Amino acid sequence: WFANNPNAECTNAEATALGALSQTEIEILDGINATTDEINANCDVLTEAVTTTNVIAASETGTHFVLNSATAFVSTLPAPAAGLEFWFHAGATQVTGGNHTIVTNSSSNVIEGSLSSPEQAAVSCVAAADTISFIADKAVQGDLAHVWSDGTDWYLDGHCFVQDGMTTTQAS
């Protein structure tokens, strides 16, 4: 790495730490070509408190959105792209004035997966939906919807404490 980065600087402490690495550790590091900032960005847990309408960009992949408003709002997913994923959590402020909804862009019916609740005897299967709803007066803090895309569809893994605290629909 130092040979390919002639302007790199190394403190005495860093040189001592590098000298303590085993051959195996060095070989593992040899194939890494990401910058420190890139590595750190991929290790960070991105969290955003949401209290109003939110159009989500693909660049926000990996973000945990905390839905934290009594007033309902819409979160719009970006177009499906391989590897995109987002988490939606019901926050401390319970929605009471309508439902928080997560919708696909262009109302595409591409949400597949399941919703589960400890109150349900079975898991609810989701097929060709375009809307995930956190239901007013039923969704509680900690309810969770995780969506991941393969580039064509969004795959939902949803968990809610109260039966029907979350639902999916096909609006169009």
Side-chain angles (χ1 to χ4, degrees):
W1 185 85
F2 281 109
N4 293 324
N5 294 285
N7 296 325
E9 296 179 13
C10 184
T11 66
N12 286 338
E14 291 168 331
T16 301
L18 287 171
L21 292 175
S22 70
Q23 182 64 35
T24 302
E25 291 168 321
I26 291 171
E27 288 172 1
I28 290 170
L29 295 173
D30 187 46
I32 297 175
N33 60 7
T35 67
T36 303
D37 288 340
E38 290 170 331
I39 292 169
N40 287 338
N42 284 303
C43 293
D44 291 341
V45 174
L46 307 172
T47 304
E48 181 180 328
V50 185
T51 58
T52 188
T53 297
N54 187 22
V55 177
I56 300 165
S59 62
E60 295 179 275
T61 189
T63 300
H64 289 253
F65 296 100
V66 180
L67 312 178
N68 211 16
S69 174
T71 305
F73 59 82
V74 177
S75 296
T76 304
L77 293 166
L84 292 182
E85 68 179 330
F86 305 98
W87 288 262
F88 299 88
H89 304 268
T93 303
Q94 186 176 19
V95 62
T96 57
N99 303 330
H100 290 318
T101 56
I102 303 159
V103 299
T104 58
N105 70 321
S106 306
S107 296
S108 303
N109 299 321
V110 293
I111 298 174
E112 313 287 341
S114 62
L115 293 173
S116 64
S117 166
E119 289 188 344
Q120 286 177 269
V123 173
S124 299
C125 295
V126 177
D130 63 5
T131 304
I132 303 165
S133 298
F134 284 77
I135 305 301
D137 301 313
K138 290 187 178 182
V140 297
Q141 184 176 11
D143 288 356
L144 161 72
H146 171 236
V147 293
W148 172 86
S149 177
D150 65 355
T152 303
D153 293 313
W154 286 104
Y155 294 93
L156 168 65
D157 182 20
H159 307 278
C160 54
F161 183 73
V162 175
Q163 183 174 354
D164 297 328
M166 248 190 305
T167 62
T168 60
T169 53
Q170 187 182 80
S172 58

